[in-house]
Amino acid sequence: MQKIVVDRPGSYEQLRLVTAPDPKPGPGEVRVRVAAIGVNYADCIVRMGLYASAKEYVGWPITPGFEASGVIDALGEGVDSVQLGDEVVALTRFGGYASALVVPVHQVFAIPPKLSLVQAAALPSIFLTAYFALFELAHPRPGSSLLVHSAAGGVGSSLVQLGKIAGCRVIGVVGAAHKVAAVTELGADGIIDKSSEPLWPAAERFSPGGYDVICDANGVETLGKSYDHLAPTGKLLIYGFHTMLPRQGGRAKWLKLAIAYLRTPRFNPLELTQKNRSVMGFNLSYLFDRADILGEGMSRILGFAESGEIVCPKVTTYELAAVADAHRALESAQTVGKLVLTTKRWR
Ligand SMILES: NC(=O)c1ccc[n+]([C@@H]2O[C@H](COP(=O)([O-])OP(=O)(O)OC[C@H]3O[C@@H](n4cnc5c(N)ncnc54)[C@H](OP(=O)(O)O)[C@@H]3O)[C@@H](O)[C@H]2O)c1
């Protein structure tokens, strides 16, 4: 099998394609012969050496990757809920950038007939993130106003769609004009292109009383203003900090990081109670022992995909060996939708 290995933190040159023996499934595990692998912004942070759970669970060297689709080609002892030849999508806490992947059987899910292997690999992380934010934490009511930052990206596209399923009035924010059409197609009720108009006056025009839910993975650039724009009983969902990181070069800039860290707002519990606001944060990579939450989320997401209630966002594919190009593109902040790596099995 082939896999991408990162030996030490750094830029794109650290993404090394290596050949290795096929992994063997242990009891309760299955091996997936991988066709397609989802790329997440988190993988770039792993490569830069800044992803806390990667250091905690794996260390160096590391193979990034949270999700892959393919065909089951080996079963560990005691596995009887799936069969050889089943097409599945797998969740994995790292290790996903590989042409063969071993995971516990409860982390594989049957692919609905409507989805291709590439689309199946695109959905899990972004939709589980949106699902956890909206359906486990925020619980918006029909008619709630929802502001989604980076609405044309992977998680953003998923938040827009799940927000519509929850009955929200969804306002999407994008950072470039070429992203507007994608967010319109996903059903957003309003779009703010912050490259062509100031973000917050436009956000106030769309929802003068503030927002019931704001989903923010920008971090320092918008977090304070996102909090200021919550309506009473409003909830701020924090799940990333990408404005701390560089858009080119692929290497963390320590001074910028330190300044951004110091400038990141801290929220006052006394004020939260007086203003009836909530601030919530989460990271899916710490939720892998919650098979109940991940399993329920995956079955609802795949059900929505099968019924046509959600669509796979636009996918751009790269060969596994061209993973550096995918990282470079994602970090540029210019991509729309989701990036997926394909293996030789797919081509
Ligand atoms: N906590 C969790 O469990 C969890 C799970 C999945 C993802 N995430 C986080 O969710 C965010 C989105 O992830 P994704 O994989 O779906 O990526 P993405 O949204 O497809 O791409 C990132 C987008 O962020 C915006 N951005 C703003 N400043 C940026 C910068 N300095 N560098 C790069 N992008 C910048 C850009 O959109 P605009 O310019 O249009 O805003 C860019 O297109 C990331 O912060 C990621 O770490 C968290």
Side-chain angles (χ1 to χ4, degrees):
M1 63 97 123
Q2 291 191 308
K3 62 180 179 177
I4 299 296
V5 174
V6 179
D7 292 311
R8 64 186 74 84
S11 185
Y12 313 112
E13 77 285 348
Q14 291 299 333
L15 295 158
R16 234 171 19 94
L17 183 69
V18 303
T19 303
D22 277 345
K24 290 200 172 45
E29 295 179 330
V30 297
R31 185 172 68 207
V32 180
R33 194 59 60 182
V34 171
I37 303 149
V39 179
N40 290 286
Y41 190 78
D43 306 338
C44 305
I45 311 178
V46 170
R47 192 205 69 236
M48 291 178 205
L50 299 172
Y51 209 73
S53 66
K55 294 191 225 176
E56 215 167 292
Y57 293 112
V58 183
W60 305 101
I62 188 167
T63 294
F66 289 109
E67 58 203 346
S69 66
V71 175
I72 294 183
D73 79 337
L75 302 175
E77 198 188 308
V79 172
D80 54 14
S81 54
V82 294
Q83 297 190 344
L84 294 177
D86 283 359
E87 287 197 345
V88 293
V89 57
L91 300 176
T92 178
R93 183 156 56 195
F94 310 108
Y97 285 13
S99 63
L101 177 67
V102 165
V103 288
V105 67
H106 70 264
Q107 287 174 213
V108 300
F109 304 87
I111 299 176
K114 261 197 189 156
L115 294 178
S116 68
L117 284 165
V118 164
Q119 289 174 322
L123 294 189
S125 299
I126 57 175
F127 271 100
L128 277 175
T129 305
Y131 174 88
F132 193 75
L134 291 184
F135 294 171
E136 292 283 344
L137 296 182
H139 292 292
R141 290 169 173 272
S144 290
S145 50
L146 166 65
L147 186 77
V148 177
H149 289 285
S150 304
V155 177
S157 303
S158 312
L159 283 165
V160 170
Q161 295 191 68
L162 294 189
K164 290 311 298 176
I165 288 177
C168 298
R169 205 167 72 82
V170 181
I171 308 303
V173 182
V174 296
H178 71 273
K179 300 181 176 184
V180 170
V183 184
T184 309
E185 268 171 40
L186 294 173
D189 300 282
I191 301 172
I192 302 166
D193 170 10
K194 63 182 182 181
S195 71
S196 68
E197 63 177 326
L199 163 57
W200 294 110
E204 287 158 18
R205 270 200 315 280
F206 278 117
S207 195
Y211 288 83
D212 298 307
V213 181
I214 300 185
C215 294
D216 190 327
N218 284 324
V220 62
E221 186 182 290
T222 55
L223 215 43
K225 288 278 188 202
S226 287
Y227 176 79
D228 292 341
H229 284 78
L230 290 176
T233 77
K235 294 165 185 168
L236 173 57
L237 274 299
I238 304 170
Y239 58 98
F241 301 91
H242 48 230
T243 59
M244 283 180 154
L245 297 168
R247 291 184 181 214
Q248 52 188 356
R251 226 178 278 278
K253 299 197 172 70
W254 291 102
L255 183 61
K256 178 179 170 158
L257 266 180
I259 293 170
Y261 175 80
L262 293 173
R263 285 184 51 229
T264 297
R266 272 64 172 167
F267 300 99
N268 178 345
L270 302 175
E271 192 183 293
L272 291 176
T273 52
Q274 281 156 10
K275 294 194 167 168
N276 262 328
R277 291 177 180 171
S278 302
V279 177
M280 304 183 216
F282 66 96
N283 184 307
L284 282 189
S285 68
Y286 288 107
L287 277 176
F288 271 70
D289 50 355
R290 292 301 305 269
D292 55 339
I293 294 177
L294 297 185
E296 186 182 309
M298 280 302 286
S299 94
R300 287 192 70 191
I301 291 160
L302 295 173
F304 289 144
E306 187 50 19
S307 64
E309 286 167 275
I310 59 169
V311 295
C312 181
K314 173 180 181 274
V315 173
T316 308
T317 58
Y318 296 80
E319 293 181 10
L320 180 60
V323 59
D325 294 338
H327 275 212
R328 201 176 281 110
L330 194 54
E331 287 165 45
S332 74
Q334 296 306 307
T335 56
V336 171
K338 177 85 184 179
L339 311 187
V340 169
L341 306 173
T342 57
T343 68
K344 289 199 177 109
R345 183 178 181 92
W346 171 254
R347 293 189 297 277

